[in-house]
Coordinates of all heavy atoms in Angstrom, one line a residue:
G1 N 19.4 71.7 28.9 CA 19.3 72.9 29.8 C 19.5 74.1 28.9 O 19.7 74.1 27.7
W2 N 19.4 75.3 29.5 CA 19.6 76.6 28.8 C 21.0 76.7 28.4 O 21.9 76.7 29.3 CB 19.1 77.8 29.6 CG 17.6 77.7 30.0 CD1 17.1 77.7 31.2 CD2 16.5 77.7 29.1 NE1 15.8 77.7 31.2 CE2 15.3 77.7 29.9 CE3 16.4 77.8 27.7 CZ2 14.1 77.7 29.4 CZ3 15.1 77.8 27.2 CH2 14.0 77.7 28.0
L3 N 21.3 77.0 27.2 CA 22.7 77.1 26.7 C 23.1 78.5 26.7 O 23.5 79.1 25.7 CB 22.9 76.5 25.3 CG 22.6 75.0 25.2 CD1 22.7 74.5 23.8 CD2 23.6 74.2 26.1
N4 N 23.1 79.1 27.9 CA 23.5 80.5 28.0 C 25.0 80.7 28.2 O 25.5 81.8 28.4 CB 22.8 81.2 29.2 CG 22.9 80.4 30.5 OD1 23.7 79.4 30.5 ND2 22.2 80.8 31.5
L5 N 25.8 79.7 28.1 CA 27.2 79.8 28.1 C 27.8 78.9 27.1 O 27.5 77.7 27.0 CB 27.7 79.4 29.5 CG 29.2 79.4 29.7 CD1 29.8 80.8 29.6 CD2 29.6 78.8 31.1
L6 N 28.7 79.4 26.3 CA 29.4 78.6 25.3 C 30.9 78.7 25.5 O 31.4 79.6 26.0 CB 29.1 79.1 23.8 CG 27.6 78.9 23.3 CD1 27.6 79.4 21.9 CD2 27.3 77.4 23.3
N7 N 31.5 77.6 25.1 CA 33.0 77.5 25.0 C 33.3 76.9 23.6 O 32.4 76.7 22.8 CB 33.6 76.8 26.1 CG 33.0 75.4 26.2 OD1 32.6 74.7 25.3 ND2 33.0 74.9 27.5
R8 N 34.6 76.7 23.3 CA 35.0 76.2 22.0 C 34.3 74.8 21.7 O 33.9 74.6 20.6 CB 36.5 76.1 21.9 CG 37.0 75.7 20.6 CD 38.5 75.8 20.5 NE 38.9 77.2 20.5 CZ 40.2 77.6 20.4 NH1 41.1 76.7 20.1 NH2 40.5 78.9 20.4
E9 N 34.3 73.9 22.7 CA 33.7 72.6 22.4 C 32.2 72.7 22.2 O 31.7 72.1 21.3 CB 34.0 71.7 23.6 CG 33.8 70.2 23.3 CD 34.7 69.7 22.2 OE1 35.9 69.7 22.4 OE2 34.2 69.2 21.1
R10 N 31.6 73.4 23.0 CA 30.1 73.6 22.9 C 29.8 74.3 21.6 O 28.7 74.0 21.0 CB 29.5 74.4 24.1 CG 29.4 73.6 25.3 CD 28.7 74.4 26.4 NE 28.6 73.8 27.7 CZ 28.1 74.4 28.7 NH1 27.6 75.6 28.6 NH2 28.1 73.7 29.9
A11 N 30.6 75.2 21.1 CA 30.4 75.9 19.9 C 30.4 75.0 18.7 O 29.5 75.1 17.8 CB 31.4 77.0 19.7
V12 N 31.3 74.1 18.6 CA 31.3 73.1 17.6 C 30.1 72.2 17.7 O 29.5 71.9 16.7 CB 32.6 72.2 17.6 CG1 32.6 71.1 16.5 CG2 33.8 73.1 17.4
W13 N 29.8 71.8 18.9 CA 28.6 70.9 19.1 C 27.3 71.6 18.6 O 26.5 71.0 17.9 CB 28.5 70.6 20.6 CG 27.2 70.0 21.0 CD1 26.7 68.7 20.8 CD2 26.1 70.7 21.6 NE1 25.5 68.6 21.2 CE2 25.0 69.8 21.7 CE3 25.9 72.0 22.0 CZ2 23.8 70.1 22.3 CZ3 24.7 72.4 22.6 CH2 23.7 71.4 22.7
I14 N 27.1 72.9 19.1 CA 25.8 73.5 18.7 C 25.8 73.9 17.2 O 24.8 73.8 16.6 CB 25.6 74.7 19.6 CG1 24.1 75.2 19.5 CG2 26.5 75.9 19.3 CD1 23.1 74.2 20.1
G15 N 27.0 74.3 16.7 CA 27.0 74.7 15.3 C 26.7 73.5 14.3 O 25.9 73.6 13.4
S16 N 27.3 72.3 14.6 CA 27.1 71.2 13.8 C 25.7 70.6 14.0 O 25.0 70.2 13.0 CB 28.1 70.1 14.0 OG 28.2 69.8 15.4
S17 N 25.2 70.6 15.2 CA 23.8 70.2 15.5 C 22.8 71.0 14.8 O 21.8 70.5 14.3 CB 23.6 70.1 17.0 OG 24.5 69.2 17.6
A18 N 23.0 72.4 14.9 CA 22.0 73.3 14.3 C 22.0 73.1 12.8 O 21.0 73.2 12.1 CB 22.4 74.7 14.7
G19 N 23.2 72.9 12.2 CA 23.2 72.7 10.7 C 22.5 71.4 10.3 O 21.7 71.4 9.3
L20 N 22.6 70.3 11.1 CA 22.0 69.1 10.8 C 20.4 69.2 11.0 O 19.7 68.7 10.2 CB 22.5 67.9 11.6 CG 22.2 66.6 10.9 CD1 23.2 66.4 9.8 CD2 22.3 65.4 11.9
L21 N 20.0 69.9 12.1 CA 18.6 70.1 12.3 C 18.0 70.9 11.1 O 16.9 70.7 10.7 CB 18.4 70.8 13.6 CG 18.5 69.9 14.9 CD1 18.4 70.8 16.1 CD2 17.4 68.9 14.9
S22 N 18.8 71.9 10.7 CA 18.3 72.7 9.5 C 18.1 71.8 8.3 O 17.1 72.0 7.5 CB 19.3 73.8 9.2 OG 19.4 74.7 10.3
A23 N 19.1 70.9 8.1 CA 19.0 70.0 7.0 C 17.7 69.1 7.1 O 17.0 68.8 6.1 CB 20.2 69.2 6.9
L24 N 17.5 68.6 8.3 CA 16.3 67.7 8.5 C 15.0 68.5 8.2 O 14.1 67.9 7.7 CB 16.4 67.1 9.9 CG 17.5 66.1 10.1 CD1 17.6 65.7 11.6 CD2 17.2 64.8 9.3
L25 N 15.0 69.7 8.7 CA 13.8 70.5 8.4 C 13.6 70.8 6.9 O 12.5 70.8 6.4 CB 13.8 71.8 9.2 CG 13.5 71.8 10.7 CD1 13.7 73.1 11.4 CD2 12.0 71.3 10.9
T26 N 14.7 71.0 6.3 CA 14.7 71.2 4.8 C 14.1 69.9 4.1 O 13.5 70.0 3.1 CB 16.1 71.5 4.3 OG1 16.6 72.6 5.0 CG2 16.0 71.8 2.8
G27 N 14.3 68.8 4.8 CA 13.8 67.6 4.2 C 12.3 67.5 4.1 O 11.7 66.7 3.3
L28 N 11.6 68.4 4.8 CA 10.1 68.5 4.6 C 9.8 69.1 3.3 O 8.6 68.9 2.8 CB 9.5 69.4 5.7 CG 9.7 68.9 7.2 CD1 9.2 69.9 8.2 CD2 8.9 67.6 7.4
F29 N 10.7 69.8 2.7 CA 10.4 70.5 1.4 C 11.1 69.9 0.2 O 10.8 70.1 -0.9 CB 10.8 72.0 1.5 CG 10.3 72.7 2.7 CD1 11.1 72.9 3.8 CD2 9.0 73.2 2.7 CE1 10.6 73.5 4.9 CE2 8.5 73.9 3.8 CZ 9.3 74.0 4.9
D30 N 12.2 69.1 0.5 CA 12.9 68.5 -0.6 C 13.6 67.2 -0.1 O 13.5 66.9 1.1 CB 14.0 69.4 -1.2 CG 14.0 69.4 -2.7 OD1 13.8 68.3 -3.3 OD2 14.1 70.5 -3.3

């Protein structure tokens, strides 16, 4: 769903997930 509301737990979830997705995308280049 649309993540238009964050709290402390969701912040850790979205921060770590975004970091890992960035890493996986970087895998296209290295």
Side-chain angles (χ1 to χ4, degrees):
W2 301 118
L3 295 175
N4 51 7
L5 177 65
L6 288 183
N7 54 31
R8 182 171 294 185
E9 193 65 61
R10 285 187 185 177
V12 175
W13 166 79
I14 196 67
S16 54
S17 301
L20 201 78
L21 283 172
S22 299
L24 290 171
L25 281 174
T26 306
L28 296 172
F29 308 98
D30 224 319

